[in-house]
Amino acid sequence: MQAGQLEIQRARLGIMTGRQRESVRQRDALARAADFDHAVTELALDRKGWLFYDVNVQGAFSFDTARQIIAQCNDSDLAFYWPIALELKHIDATESPSGQAAAPAQAKGDMHLTVKGQFVARK
């Protein structure tokens, strides 16, 4: 009978030891999360303290204009640029979508540019 009780107590000890390990693991995870939250608050990195300005440029542009637009989508002292998409396609002015030669008046630029992203700045 005592051997059976000993086995029951060992099983309980195993369960309690497992619970203790889980509790220690959870306490460590909470401490790491609290440290991260403290660092975010201290550095003023809370998302509420930042402004987001969307960039969505699409169209046909000359090469120089497209280069200038891409150059403007860059980090500066006032804001960071968070790129999402950049797509450049060469426009062939000699062909129309139907396969026939197009008039030069229809060509609005050298390339089709698509720029998407966000400028992120502190409030």
Side-chain angles (χ1 to χ4, degrees):
M1 188 168 154
Q2 288 179 344
Q5 289 178 348
L6 180 62
E7 282 301 314
I8 291 171
Q9 293 301 324
R10 284 184 181 166
R12 286 184 180 169
L13 178 63
I15 291 170
M16 296 305 270
T17 303
R19 286 182 182 172
Q20 182 184 22
R21 276 191 231 123
E22 181 66 20
S23 176
V24 168
R25 187 188 66 76
Q26 288 177 350
R27 188 178 57 221
D28 290 344
L30 285 173
R32 286 193 309 269
D35 290 344
F36 177 77
D37 184 55
H38 177 71
V40 165
T41 303
E42 193 171 293
L43 295 172
L45 297 178
D46 187 13
R47 191 168 179 92
K48 297 174 193 168
W50 294 83
L51 298 172
F52 295 86
Y53 300 99
D54 291 331
V55 175
N56 187 4
V57 177
Q58 296 180 6
F61 299 98
S62 68
F63 178 78
D64 290 332
T65 304
R67 185 173 50 85
Q68 185 179 16
I69 291 171
I70 293 170
Q72 289 175 351
C73 293
N74 201 353
D75 294 343
S76 69
D77 293 338
L78 301 175
F80 301 101
Y81 183 69
W82 187 349
I84 295 172
L86 171 65
E87 185 178 316
L88 295 168
K89 291 183 182 177
H90 174 69
I91 297 175
D92 189 2
T94 60
E95 283 191 25
S96 67
S98 63
Q100 298 177 354
Q106 291 179 341
K108 296 179 182 176
D110 299 327
M111 60 182 47
H112 187 270
L113 173 68
T114 301
V115 179
K116 293 182 182 180
Q118 288 183 327
F119 280 105
V120 182
R122 285 186 191 248
K123 283 187 180 176

